[in-house]
Amino acid sequence: MVKNIPVAAGLGGGSADAAAALRLLNRMFGLGLPLERLADLAAVVGADVPACVWSSTCLGQGSARH
């Protein structure tokens, strides 16, 4: 896959990569973590990373839980 998102443009390119890495590691190591748990972990990485973990429309409310 080739992305044409400018670096540091605030368009979620890095967040999408982080979410993909979390989902890949979950699958590769057979952890069986549900998306809810992955989203909690993703919130530590960045505020918009959980939305990328879900890969669907999300509504953000309040601050991330840590």
Side-chain angles (χ1 to χ4, degrees):
M1 171 196 269
V2 177
K3 294 190 296 183
N4 292 314
I5 298 174
V7 174
L11 299 174
S15 297
D17 289 347
L22 286 171
R23 291 183 69 154
L24 175 66
L25 292 169
N26 189 40
R27 183 180 301 156
M28 282 180 56
F29 290 105
L31 301 175
L33 297 174
L35 288 179
E36 292 87 356
R37 180 65 180 128
L38 285 178
D40 286 342
L41 294 170
V44 175
V45 178
D48 59 343
V49 181
C52 297
V53 166
W54 283 104
S55 299
S56 64
T57 303
C58 296
L59 172 63
Q61 296 179 312
S63 61
R65 294 177 295 167
H66 291 281

